[in-house]
Amino acid sequence: MKSFLIVILTFFALLSGCATQPKQDLYSEIGGSATLSKVFGLAINRIYNDPVLGPHFEGVPKSHLREMLTEQTCALIGGPCEYTGKSMQEAHQERDVTAAEFYRLVEHVQQAMRLIGLTYEQENRILAALAPLKKDIIYQGI
Amino acid sequence: MIRKLFLLICLSGLSPLAGATGSSLVATGGITSFEGTAGGGITPWAMIAGYGSEEEIHGTAALQQLDLGEYQLRTFGAAIGIYDRVELSVQRQNLKVGSGITSNVFNLLTQGAVSTAPGTDIEQDIIGLKVKLFGDAIFAQNSPWPQVSMGAQYKKNRDFDTSLPLSDGSVPLPQTGVPMLLGATQDSGTDFYLAASKLWLGAAWGNNLLANVTARMTKANTFGLLGFESATDDSYALEWEGSLAILPSPSTAVGIEWRTQTNRLGGLAEEKTVTDFFIAYFPNKHWSLTAAYVDLGNLPFDDKASGLYLSATVNL
Protein backbone atom coordinates (compact mmCIF):
# COMPACT_ATOMS: atom_id res chain seq x y z
CA MET A 1 0.00 0.00 0.00
CA LYS A 2 2.77 2.41 0.98
CA SER A 3 4.85 1.60 -2.08
CA PHE A 4 1.75 1.95 -4.24
CA LEU A 5 1.17 5.48 -2.92
CA ILE A 6 4.80 6.44 -3.40
CA VAL A 7 4.86 5.13 -6.95
CA ILE A 8 1.61 6.76 -8.00
CA LEU A 9 2.45 10.09 -6.36
CA THR A 10 5.86 10.24 -8.03
CA PHE A 11 4.39 9.20 -11.36
CA PHE A 12 1.51 11.65 -11.26
CA ALA A 13 3.66 14.46 -9.87
CA LEU A 14 6.08 13.99 -12.77
CA LEU A 15 3.28 14.07 -15.29
CA SER A 16 1.69 17.06 -13.56
CA GLY A 17 5.05 18.79 -13.91
CA CYS A 18 4.82 18.38 -17.67
CA ALA A 19 1.19 19.40 -17.63
CA THR A 20 1.64 22.65 -15.74
CA GLN A 21 4.33 24.13 -17.95
CA PRO A 22 3.57 27.83 -18.47
CA LYS A 23 1.09 27.95 -21.33
CA GLN A 24 1.70 29.96 -24.45
CA ASP A 25 -0.42 33.05 -24.24
CA LEU A 26 -3.74 31.28 -24.76
CA TYR A 27 -5.75 34.44 -24.21
CA SER A 28 -4.29 36.36 -27.15
CA GLU A 29 -4.06 33.21 -29.28
CA ILE A 30 -7.85 32.74 -29.25
CA GLY A 31 -8.56 36.43 -29.88
CA GLY A 32 -9.11 37.60 -26.33
CA SER A 33 -12.33 38.60 -24.62
CA ALA A 34 -14.07 39.27 -27.93
CA THR A 35 -13.87 35.56 -28.80
CA LEU A 36 -14.81 34.47 -25.28
CA SER A 37 -17.85 36.75 -25.42
CA LYS A 38 -18.92 35.15 -28.71
CA VAL A 39 -18.46 31.66 -27.23
CA PHE A 40 -20.53 32.43 -24.16
CA GLY A 41 -23.16 34.32 -26.16
CA LEU A 42 -23.76 31.16 -28.18
CA ALA A 43 -23.42 28.80 -25.20
CA ILE A 44 -25.89 30.85 -23.13
CA ASN A 45 -28.49 30.75 -25.90
CA ARG A 46 -28.18 26.99 -25.98
CA ILE A 47 -28.27 26.73 -22.18
CA TYR A 48 -31.36 28.96 -21.81
CA ASN A 49 -33.16 26.87 -24.46
CA ASP A 50 -32.20 23.61 -22.76
CA PRO A 51 -35.25 22.14 -21.01
CA VAL A 52 -33.15 20.84 -18.11
CA LEU A 53 -30.78 23.78 -17.64
CA GLY A 54 -33.06 26.66 -18.65
CA PRO A 55 -35.11 26.76 -15.43
CA HIS A 56 -31.92 27.23 -13.36
CA PHE A 57 -31.34 30.57 -15.07
CA GLU A 58 -34.83 32.05 -14.79
CA GLY A 59 -34.53 35.70 -13.85
CA VAL A 60 -30.81 35.87 -14.69
CA PRO A 61 -30.31 38.37 -17.55
CA LYS A 62 -28.38 36.74 -20.41
CA SER A 63 -26.15 39.78 -20.89
CA HIS A 64 -25.06 39.76 -17.24
CA LEU A 65 -24.23 36.05 -17.26
CA ARG A 66 -22.37 36.43 -20.54
CA GLU A 67 -20.30 39.28 -19.16
CA MET A 68 -19.48 37.40 -15.94
CA LEU A 69 -18.51 34.16 -17.72
CA THR A 70 -16.35 36.06 -20.19
CA GLU A 71 -14.61 37.96 -17.40
CA GLN A 72 -14.10 34.85 -15.27
CA THR A 73 -12.74 32.73 -18.11
CA CYS A 74 -10.49 35.56 -19.26
CA ALA A 75 -9.00 35.73 -15.76
CA LEU A 76 -8.67 31.94 -15.47
CA ILE A 77 -6.76 31.55 -18.75
CA GLY A 78 -4.31 34.31 -17.89
CA GLY A 79 -5.99 37.24 -19.66
CA PRO A 80 -5.92 40.85 -18.38
CA CYS A 81 -9.23 40.66 -16.50
CA GLU A 82 -10.35 40.55 -12.93
CA TYR A 83 -13.44 38.54 -12.09
CA THR A 84 -15.89 40.83 -10.30
CA GLY A 85 -18.80 38.40 -9.93
CA LYS A 86 -19.92 36.20 -7.08
CA SER A 87 -17.88 33.19 -6.02
CA MET A 88 -19.04 29.95 -7.63
CA GLN A 89 -20.22 28.58 -4.28
CA GLU A 90 -22.28 31.68 -3.61
CA ALA A 91 -23.72 31.84 -7.12
CA HIS A 92 -24.95 28.23 -6.97
CA GLN A 93 -25.96 28.11 -3.32
CA GLU A 94 -29.68 27.75 -3.76
CA ARG A 95 -29.63 25.77 -6.98
CA ASP A 96 -28.41 22.33 -5.92
CA VAL A 97 -26.88 21.70 -9.34
CA THR A 98 -26.37 18.01 -10.08
CA ALA A 99 -23.27 16.54 -11.73
CA ALA A 100 -25.47 15.52 -14.69
CA GLU A 101 -26.58 19.16 -15.16
CA PHE A 102 -23.01 20.38 -14.85
CA TYR A 103 -21.81 17.95 -17.57
CA ARG A 104 -24.70 19.08 -19.78
CA LEU A 105 -23.60 22.67 -19.43
CA VAL A 106 -19.99 21.76 -20.22
CA GLU A 107 -21.19 20.08 -23.42
CA HIS A 108 -22.96 23.29 -24.50
CA VAL A 109 -19.80 25.31 -23.86
CA GLN A 110 -17.72 22.73 -25.79
CA GLN A 111 -20.15 22.89 -28.70
CA ALA A 112 -20.07 26.68 -28.68
CA MET A 113 -16.27 26.72 -28.74
CA ARG A 114 -16.30 24.38 -31.75
CA LEU A 115 -18.97 26.41 -33.57
CA ILE A 116 -17.06 29.65 -33.01
CA GLY A 117 -14.03 27.96 -34.55
CA LEU A 118 -11.64 27.39 -31.66
CA THR A 119 -9.29 24.46 -32.25
CA TYR A 120 -9.49 21.22 -30.25
CA GLU A 121 -6.20 22.18 -28.57
CA GLN A 122 -7.53 25.62 -27.54
CA GLU A 123 -10.77 24.06 -26.34
CA ASN A 124 -8.88 21.60 -24.11
CA ARG A 125 -6.71 24.30 -22.59
CA ILE A 126 -9.73 26.48 -21.81
CA LEU A 127 -11.58 23.52 -20.29
CA ALA A 128 -8.53 22.72 -18.18
CA ALA A 129 -8.85 26.19 -16.63
CA LEU A 130 -12.62 25.87 -16.08
CA ALA A 131 -12.77 22.22 -14.93
CA PRO A 132 -11.76 22.82 -11.29
CA LEU A 133 -14.91 24.98 -10.87
CA LYS A 134 -16.97 21.76 -10.87
CA LYS A 135 -16.53 21.12 -7.17
CA ASP A 136 -17.69 24.66 -6.31
CA ILE A 137 -20.73 24.46 -8.61
CA ILE A 138 -22.37 21.10 -7.95
CA TYR A 139 -24.35 20.38 -4.78
CA GLN A 140 -23.88 23.77 -3.15
CA GLY A 141 -27.44 23.84 -1.77
CA ILE A 142 -27.60 23.58 1.97
CA MET B 1 -24.35 -17.47 -26.98
CA ILE B 2 -21.79 -14.92 -28.13
CA ARG B 3 -23.77 -14.40 -31.32
CA LYS B 4 -26.95 -13.86 -29.37
CA LEU B 5 -25.28 -11.33 -27.15
CA PHE B 6 -23.79 -9.57 -30.12
CA LEU B 7 -27.20 -9.38 -31.76
CA LEU B 8 -28.65 -8.00 -28.56
CA ILE B 9 -25.92 -5.38 -28.42
CA CYS B 10 -26.48 -4.39 -32.05
CA LEU B 11 -30.20 -4.10 -31.50
CA SER B 12 -29.80 -2.05 -28.34
CA GLY B 13 -27.36 0.22 -30.15
CA LEU B 14 -29.89 0.89 -32.89
CA SER B 15 -32.92 1.16 -30.67
CA PRO B 16 -34.31 4.66 -30.30
CA LEU B 17 -34.83 3.83 -26.63
CA ALA B 18 -31.07 3.73 -26.22
CA GLY B 19 -31.00 7.52 -26.43
CA ALA B 20 -29.92 8.02 -22.85
CA THR B 21 -26.48 6.67 -22.08
CA GLY B 22 -25.67 8.93 -19.16
CA SER B 23 -24.50 12.49 -18.72
CA SER B 24 -20.73 12.18 -18.42
CA LEU B 25 -18.58 13.48 -21.25
CA VAL B 26 -17.73 11.30 -24.23
CA ALA B 27 -14.74 8.95 -23.83
CA THR B 28 -14.55 9.57 -20.07
CA GLY B 29 -15.83 6.07 -19.33
CA GLY B 30 -12.82 4.46 -20.96
CA ILE B 31 -13.30 1.12 -22.69
CA THR B 32 -13.84 -2.34 -21.25
CA SER B 33 -10.90 -4.57 -20.42
CA PHE B 34 -10.86 -8.27 -21.31
CA GLU B 35 -11.64 -8.98 -17.65
CA GLY B 36 -14.92 -7.02 -17.88
CA THR B 37 -13.84 -4.00 -15.85
CA ALA B 38 -13.94 -0.43 -17.18
CA GLY B 39 -10.40 0.53 -18.10
CA GLY B 40 -8.00 0.04 -20.88
CA GLY B 41 -7.72 -3.20 -22.83
CA ILE B 42 -5.73 -5.22 -20.28
CA THR B 43 -5.98 -3.24 -17.05
CA PRO B 44 -8.70 -1.71 -14.86
CA TRP B 45 -8.88 2.06 -14.51
CA ALA B 46 -10.28 4.08 -11.61
CA MET B 47 -13.21 5.21 -13.77
CA ILE B 48 -16.61 3.64 -13.17
CA ALA B 49 -18.19 1.83 -16.17
CA GLY B 50 -20.64 3.77 -18.34
CA TYR B 51 -21.45 7.44 -18.66
CA GLY B 52 -23.60 7.72 -15.54
CA SER B 53 -23.09 10.77 -13.34
CA GLU B 54 -23.35 10.80 -9.55
CA GLU B 55 -27.14 10.70 -9.87
CA GLU B 56 -27.43 8.04 -12.56
CA ILE B 57 -27.15 4.31 -13.12
CA HIS B 58 -25.88 3.22 -16.52
CA GLY B 59 -23.96 0.32 -17.89
CA THR B 60 -21.95 -1.21 -20.68
CA ALA B 61 -21.91 -4.44 -22.66
CA ALA B 62 -18.72 -5.41 -24.41
CA LEU B 63 -17.01 -8.02 -26.56
CA GLN B 64 -13.31 -8.65 -26.99
CA GLN B 65 -11.32 -10.94 -29.22
CA LEU B 66 -7.60 -11.61 -29.23
CA ASP B 67 -6.26 -13.61 -32.17
CA LEU B 68 -3.03 -15.41 -31.31
CA GLY B 69 -3.02 -18.06 -34.01
CA GLU B 70 -3.15 -21.40 -32.15
CA TYR B 71 -4.84 -19.60 -29.27
CA GLN B 72 -8.00 -17.50 -29.62
CA LEU B 73 -9.29 -15.56 -26.64
CA ARG B 74 -12.92 -14.46 -26.87
CA THR B 75 -14.53 -12.63 -24.03
CA PHE B 76 -17.78 -10.81 -23.41
CA GLY B 77 -19.72 -9.40 -20.53
CA ALA B 78 -21.54 -6.49 -19.01
CA ALA B 79 -20.95 -3.90 -16.33
CA ILE B 80 -23.17 -1.55 -14.41
CA GLY B 81 -22.03 1.76 -12.95
CA ILE B 82 -23.99 2.98 -9.95
CA TYR B 83 -23.90 6.70 -9.09
CA ASP B 84 -20.37 7.04 -10.51
CA ARG B 85 -19.24 5.26 -7.35
CA VAL B 86 -19.70 1.50 -7.64
CA GLU B 87 -19.15 -0.81 -10.60
CA LEU B 88 -20.36 -4.40 -10.85
CA SER B 89 -19.30 -6.57 -13.78
CA VAL B 90 -19.67 -10.09 -15.11
CA GLN B 91 -17.44 -11.56 -17.78
CA ARG B 92 -17.07 -14.88 -19.57
CA GLN B 93 -13.71 -15.71 -21.10
CA ASN B 94 -13.13 -18.46 -23.60
CA LEU B 95 -9.61 -19.45 -24.58
CA LYS B 96 -9.62 -21.75 -27.60
CA VAL B 97 -6.54 -23.93 -27.59
CA GLY B 98 -5.67 -25.24 -31.04
CA SER B 99 -4.94 -28.91 -31.69
CA GLY B 100 -1.34 -27.97 -32.49
CA ILE B 101 -0.93 -27.04 -28.83
CA THR B 102 -2.76 -30.01 -27.29
CA SER B 103 -0.88 -32.35 -29.62
CA ASN B 104 2.38 -30.91 -28.32
CA VAL B 105 1.15 -31.45 -24.75
CA PHE B 106 0.46 -35.16 -25.32
CA ASN B 107 3.62 -35.56 -27.34
CA LEU B 108 5.56 -34.32 -24.34
CA LEU B 109 3.57 -36.29 -21.74
CA THR B 110 3.85 -39.59 -23.63
CA GLN B 111 7.36 -38.98 -24.91
CA GLY B 112 6.18 -39.11 -28.52
CA ALA B 113 3.76 -42.08 -28.29
CA VAL B 114 0.75 -39.81 -28.84
CA SER B 115 1.35 -37.00 -31.27
CA THR B 116 -2.09 -35.70 -32.23
CA ALA B 117 -5.02 -34.58 -30.14
CA PRO B 118 -8.05 -32.37 -30.75
CA GLY B 119 -8.10 -28.79 -29.50
CA THR B 120 -9.85 -27.73 -26.35
CA ASP B 121 -11.47 -24.72 -24.65
CA ILE B 122 -10.60 -23.16 -21.33
CA GLU B 123 -13.39 -21.02 -19.96
CA GLN B 124 -13.38 -18.66 -17.02
CA ASP B 125 -16.01 -16.50 -15.34
CA ILE B 126 -15.14 -13.24 -13.63
CA ILE B 127 -17.30 -11.25 -11.26
CA GLY B 128 -15.93 -7.80 -10.60
CA LEU B 129 -16.60 -5.13 -8.01
CA LYS B 130 -15.01 -1.69 -8.07
CA VAL B 131 -15.53 1.22 -5.69
CA LYS B 132 -14.30 4.76 -6.29
CA LEU B 133 -12.46 5.88 -3.17
CA PHE B 134 -11.63 9.51 -3.92
CA GLY B 135 -10.61 12.01 -6.56
CA ASP B 136 -11.97 13.23 -9.86
CA ALA B 137 -9.82 12.05 -12.77
CA ILE B 138 -11.13 14.64 -15.21
CA PHE B 139 -12.27 17.78 -13.43
CA ALA B 140 -9.72 18.13 -10.61
CA GLN B 141 -7.31 19.80 -13.05
CA ASN B 142 -5.71 21.95 -10.36
CA SER B 143 -4.88 18.99 -8.13
CA PRO B 144 -2.00 16.53 -8.53
CA TRP B 145 -4.17 13.75 -7.08
CA PRO B 146 -5.57 11.12 -9.40
CA GLN B 147 -8.92 9.40 -9.03
CA VAL B 148 -8.38 6.23 -7.01
CA SER B 149 -10.59 3.15 -6.96
CA MET B 150 -10.34 -0.18 -5.23
CA GLY B 151 -11.58 -3.38 -6.81
CA ALA B 152 -11.87 -7.14 -6.62
CA GLN B 153 -12.24 -9.75 -9.33
CA TYR B 154 -13.47 -13.18 -8.34
CA LYS B 155 -12.36 -15.61 -11.02
CA LYS B 156 -13.56 -19.16 -11.49
CA ASN B 157 -11.86 -21.35 -14.06
CA ARG B 158 -14.53 -23.65 -15.52
CA ASP B 159 -12.10 -26.08 -17.10
CA PHE B 160 -9.61 -26.58 -14.29
CA ASP B 161 -10.32 -30.32 -14.23
CA THR B 162 -11.84 -30.81 -17.71
CA SER B 163 -9.88 -33.72 -19.15
CA LEU B 164 -8.27 -33.58 -22.55
CA PRO B 165 -9.58 -36.31 -24.86
CA LEU B 166 -7.47 -37.99 -27.51
CA SER B 167 -8.59 -38.14 -31.14
CA ASP B 168 -10.24 -41.56 -30.54
CA GLY B 169 -12.30 -40.11 -27.68
CA SER B 170 -10.38 -41.85 -24.89
CA VAL B 171 -9.35 -39.86 -21.85
CA PRO B 172 -5.92 -40.86 -20.61
CA LEU B 173 -5.84 -38.42 -17.70
CA PRO B 174 -9.32 -38.24 -16.17
CA GLN B 175 -10.29 -35.11 -14.24
CA THR B 176 -7.10 -33.31 -15.17
CA GLY B 177 -7.50 -30.06 -17.06
CA VAL B 178 -4.83 -27.96 -18.73
CA PRO B 179 -4.34 -25.71 -15.66
CA MET B 180 -3.71 -28.81 -13.49
CA LEU B 181 -1.34 -30.33 -16.03
CA LEU B 182 0.71 -27.15 -15.93
CA GLY B 183 0.90 -27.20 -12.13
CA ALA B 184 -1.94 -24.99 -10.89
CA THR B 185 -3.57 -26.22 -7.69
CA GLN B 186 -6.76 -24.10 -7.43
CA ASP B 187 -9.65 -23.50 -9.83
CA SER B 188 -10.57 -20.09 -8.46
CA GLY B 189 -9.07 -17.00 -6.90
CA THR B 190 -9.81 -13.39 -6.10
CA ASP B 191 -7.64 -10.52 -7.32
CA PHE B 192 -7.63 -7.25 -5.38
CA TYR B 193 -6.44 -4.04 -6.98
CA LEU B 194 -6.00 -0.32 -6.48
CA ALA B 195 -6.23 1.80 -9.62
CA ALA B 196 -5.21 5.44 -9.96
CA SER B 197 -6.19 7.38 -13.10
CA LYS B 198 -5.88 10.95 -14.21
CA LEU B 199 -6.59 12.95 -17.34
CA TRP B 200 -4.77 16.21 -18.06
CA LEU B 201 -6.80 18.44 -20.35
CA GLY B 202 -4.68 20.00 -23.08
CA ALA B 203 -1.44 18.79 -21.49
CA ALA B 204 0.19 17.15 -24.52
CA TRP B 205 0.55 19.96 -27.05
CA GLY B 206 -3.07 20.85 -26.46
CA ASN B 207 -4.21 17.21 -26.55
CA ASN B 208 -5.57 15.43 -23.53
CA LEU B 209 -3.26 13.02 -21.76
CA LEU B 210 -4.39 10.08 -19.66
CA ALA B 211 -2.35 7.98 -17.27
CA ASN B 212 -3.27 5.04 -15.13
CA VAL B 213 -1.38 2.89 -12.64
CA THR B 214 -2.87 -0.23 -11.10
CA ALA B 215 -1.42 -2.41 -8.33
CA ARG B 216 -2.89 -5.90 -8.19
CA MET B 217 -2.63 -8.64 -5.58
CA THR B 218 -3.16 -11.95 -7.35
CA LYS B 219 -2.76 -15.70 -7.15
CA ALA B 220 -3.65 -16.20 -10.82
CA ASN B 221 -1.59 -17.94 -13.47
CA THR B 222 -1.98 -16.18 -16.84
CA PHE B 223 -5.01 -14.16 -15.61
CA GLY B 224 -6.53 -17.35 -14.08
CA LEU B 225 -6.94 -19.00 -17.49
CA LEU B 226 -4.20 -21.39 -16.34
CA GLY B 227 -5.62 -21.71 -12.84
CA PHE B 228 -4.46 -20.32 -9.51
CA GLU B 229 -1.57 -20.96 -7.12
CA SER B 230 0.93 -23.82 -7.40
CA ALA B 231 2.15 -26.63 -5.19
CA THR B 232 5.01 -24.48 -3.92
CA ASP B 233 3.42 -21.03 -3.93
CA ASP B 234 -0.06 -20.29 -2.61
CA SER B 235 0.48 -16.68 -1.53
CA TYR B 236 -0.56 -13.41 -3.11
CA ALA B 237 1.91 -11.61 -5.35
CA LEU B 238 1.93 -7.87 -6.13
CA GLU B 239 1.78 -7.03 -9.84
CA TRP B 240 1.87 -3.65 -11.61
CA GLU B 241 -0.16 -2.45 -14.55
CA GLY B 242 -0.27 0.82 -16.40
CA SER B 243 -1.70 2.75 -19.31
CA LEU B 244 -0.58 5.94 -20.97
CA ALA B 245 -2.77 7.47 -23.66
CA ILE B 246 -3.08 10.63 -25.66
CA LEU B 247 -6.38 11.85 -27.14
CA PRO B 248 -5.50 13.56 -30.44
CA SER B 249 -9.17 14.33 -31.15
CA PRO B 250 -12.38 14.31 -29.09
CA SER B 251 -13.18 10.83 -30.43
CA THR B 252 -9.80 9.10 -30.51
CA ALA B 253 -7.38 7.73 -27.95
CA VAL B 254 -3.99 6.20 -28.76
CA GLY B 255 -1.86 4.58 -26.13
CA ILE B 256 0.28 1.88 -24.64
CA GLU B 257 -0.28 -0.48 -21.74
CA TRP B 258 1.68 -2.98 -19.74
CA ARG B 259 0.93 -5.59 -17.10
CA THR B 260 3.39 -7.66 -15.09
CA GLN B 261 2.69 -11.28 -14.15
CA THR B 262 3.94 -13.52 -11.34
CA ASN B 263 5.35 -16.49 -13.31
CA ARG B 264 4.41 -18.84 -10.47
CA LEU B 265 4.27 -21.99 -12.62
CA GLY B 266 7.28 -21.40 -14.85
CA GLY B 267 8.23 -23.99 -17.43
CA LEU B 268 5.70 -24.28 -20.23
CA ALA B 269 3.38 -21.84 -18.48
CA GLU B 270 6.06 -19.19 -18.08
CA GLU B 271 4.52 -15.71 -17.75
CA LYS B 272 6.06 -12.52 -19.07
CA THR B 273 5.01 -8.89 -18.97
CA VAL B 274 2.03 -8.22 -21.22
CA THR B 275 2.18 -5.10 -23.40
CA ASP B 276 -0.11 -3.53 -25.94
CA PHE B 277 -0.50 -0.59 -28.27
CA PHE B 278 -4.08 0.54 -28.84
CA ILE B 279 -6.28 2.92 -30.82
CA ALA B 280 -9.77 3.54 -29.46
CA TYR B 281 -12.51 5.30 -31.36
CA PHE B 282 -15.47 6.96 -29.60
CA PRO B 283 -17.82 8.23 -32.35
CA ASN B 284 -20.49 9.11 -29.78
CA LYS B 285 -21.68 8.14 -26.32
CA HIS B 286 -23.42 4.97 -27.59
CA TRP B 287 -20.44 2.86 -28.50
CA SER B 288 -16.69 2.63 -28.94
CA LEU B 289 -14.33 0.40 -30.88
CA THR B 290 -10.75 -0.47 -29.97
CA ALA B 291 -8.06 -2.15 -32.00
CA ALA B 292 -4.80 -3.16 -30.38
CA TYR B 293 -1.69 -5.15 -30.90
CA VAL B 294 -1.24 -7.27 -27.77
CA ASP B 295 1.91 -9.13 -26.83
CA LEU B 296 1.19 -11.70 -24.10
CA GLY B 297 4.83 -12.76 -24.08
CA ASN B 298 4.41 -16.50 -23.71
CA LEU B 299 1.69 -19.16 -23.65
CA PRO B 300 2.42 -22.90 -23.48
CA PHE B 301 4.12 -23.96 -26.73
CA ASP B 302 3.81 -20.44 -28.12
CA ASP B 303 6.70 -18.27 -27.03
CA LYS B 304 5.63 -15.43 -29.32
CA ALA B 305 2.01 -15.13 -28.25
CA SER B 306 1.02 -11.84 -29.82
CA GLY B 307 -1.72 -10.69 -32.14
CA LEU B 308 -4.56 -8.42 -33.01
CA TYR B 309 -7.07 -7.46 -30.32
CA LEU B 310 -10.48 -6.05 -31.19
CA SER B 311 -12.98 -4.81 -28.68
CA ALA B 312 -16.38 -3.15 -28.86
CA THR B 313 -18.20 -1.49 -25.99
CA VAL B 314 -21.84 -0.43 -26.12
CA ASN B 315 -23.04 2.10 -23.56
CA LEU B 316 -26.49 1.48 -22.17
Side-chain angles (χ1 to χ4, degrees):
Chain A
M1 182 67 189
K2 205 184 222 173
S3 72
F4 174 76
L5 285 176
I6 292 169
V7 169
I8 62 162
L9 265 186
T10 317
F11 183 67
F12 286 99
L14 279 174
L15 281 172
S16 296
C18 307
T20 49
Q21 292 282 316
K23 300 193 163 87
Q24 254 186 355
D25 188 3
L26 176 61
Y27 177 79
S28 6
E29 187 190 312
I30 60 165
S33 289
T35 305
L36 290 176
S37 180
K38 274 192 231 165
V39 167
F40 288 114
L42 187 57
I44 287 168
N45 271 333
R46 297 171 64 103
I47 291 163
Y48 277 56
N49 287 329
D50 185 306
V52 175
L53 300 177
H56 275 302
F57 295 94
E58 262 168 39
V60 182
K62 280 187 184 179
S63 58
H64 175 72
L65 185 62
R66 181 178 183 174
E67 200 183 318
M68 287 300 107
L69 285 171
T70 303
E71 197 176 271
Q72 187 183 24
T73 309
C74 164
L76 285 170
I77 65 171
C81 312
E82 199 181 330
Y83 178 53
T84 56
K86 290 182 193 170
S87 77
M88 285 296 102
Q89 281 121 316
E90 204 189 332
H92 298 87
Q93 208 148 60
E94 274 148 41
R95 299 253 59 107
D96 226 7
V97 177
T98 65
E101 289 166 339
F102 174 79
Y103 296 141
R104 217 174 155 101
L105 187 139
V106 173
E107 283 178 339
H108 285 308
V109 175
Q110 270 183 313
Q111 277 304 320
M113 287 195 276
R114 288 171 198 175
L115 289 167
I116 293 298
L118 294 188
T119 66
Y120 171 63
E121 289 78 9
Q122 292 163 343
E123 173 191 324
N124 290 334
R125 288 159 67 195
I126 295 171
L127 286 178
L130 295 176
L133 299 177
K134 177 186 170 190
K135 67 168 178 20
D136 296 332
I137 290 175
I138 68 166
Y139 294 116
Q140 296 301 319
I142 305 154
Chain B
M1 179 63 201
I2 288 179
R3 260 191 211 140
K4 250 189 218 162
L5 187 85
F6 192 70
L7 189 71
L8 185 79
I9 288 168
C10 290
L11 286 175
S12 63
L14 294 171
S15 154
L17 292 173
T21 55
S23 303
S24 297
L25 306 180
V26 70
T28 55
I31 62 165
T32 312
S33 84
F34 79 114
E35 290 171 320
T37 308
I42 57 170
T43 178
W45 289 352
M47 284 74 157
I48 299 298
Y51 286 123
S53 68
E54 294 162 39
E55 308 83 17
E56 299 168 334
I57 299 176
H58 284 281
T60 56
L63 279 173
Q64 297 87 15
Q65 162 152 343
L66 175 58
D67 180 359
L68 301 167
E70 281 285 335
Y71 289 99
Q72 300 278 331
L73 181 61
R74 287 174 194 162
T75 54
F76 64 90
I80 182 164
I82 303 166
Y83 303 139
D84 200 21
R85 175 64 64 181
V86 177
E87 174 188 305
L88 290 166
S89 59
V90 287
Q91 184 88 339
R92 164 68 57 88
Q93 300 183 317
N94 176 303
L95 180 67
K96 282 208 178 314
V97 184
S99 69
I101 305 290
T102 47
S103 300
N104 276 332
V105 170
F106 278 111
N107 203 342
L108 188 77
L109 287 172
T110 63
Q111 285 158 355
V114 177
S115 61
T116 61
T120 189
D121 282 22
I122 302 175
E123 290 196 334
Q124 175 167 257
D125 288 340
I126 305 173
I127 297 171
L129 169 70
K130 188 198 285 177
V131 179
K132 180 165 99 181
L133 298 179
F134 62 85
D136 184 331
I138 295 144
F139 286 91
Q141 291 291 317
N142 53 348
S143 151
W145 282 96
Q147 178 171 323
V148 176
S149 292
M150 200 172 112
Q153 291 173 334
Y154 168 77
K155 301 178 171 188
K156 171 86 168 70
N157 192 306
R158 295 160 58 89
D159 292 298
F160 181 71
D161 55 5
T162 305
S163 317
L164 289 173
L166 294 182
S167 305
D168 62 8
S170 66
V171 178
L173 295 162
Q175 314 240 301
T176 308
V178 175
M180 290 174 81
L181 280 174
L182 294 167
T185 52
Q186 295 295 323
D187 68 349
S188 65
T190 304
D191 287 1
F192 297 95
Y193 64 84
L194 269 178
S197 309
K198 191 164 178 67
L199 180 87
W200 288 272
L201 287 161
W205 309 279
N207 300 302
N208 300 337
L209 184 70
L210 181 129
N212 176 79
V213 179
T214 300
R216 180 191 297 261
M217 298 297 287
T218 184
K219 295 183 176 187
N221 305 312
T222 309
F223 323 117
L225 290 165
L226 300 183
F228 301 82
E229 309 178 22
S230 75
T232 54
D233 185 356
D234 64 353
S235 52
Y236 273 102
L238 173 67
E239 302 300 334
W240 292 94
E241 301 167 14
S243 312
L244 193 60
I246 186 165
L247 285 81
S249 87
S251 57
T252 325
V254 183
I256 50 164
E257 295 184 287
W258 84 90
R259 173 170 177 167
T260 65
Q261 300 192 90
T262 317
N263 193 25
R264 206 180 295 262
L265 297 177
L268 284 176
E270 183 188 355
E271 294 171 321
K272 292 183 175 163
T273 297
V274 181
T275 53
D276 75 44
F277 168 77
F278 70 89
I279 299 177
Y281 174 54
F282 303 85
N284 54 48
K285 291 212 282 197
H286 294 295
W287 58 283
S288 68
L289 267 185
T290 305
Y293 182 79
V294 178
D295 188 350
L296 283 189
N298 179 68
L299 285 174
F301 295 107
D302 184 359
D303 61 2
K304 288 192 180 67
S306 61
L308 181 69
Y309 176 84
L310 289 172
S311 160
T313 296
V314 172
N315 290 82
L316 308 166

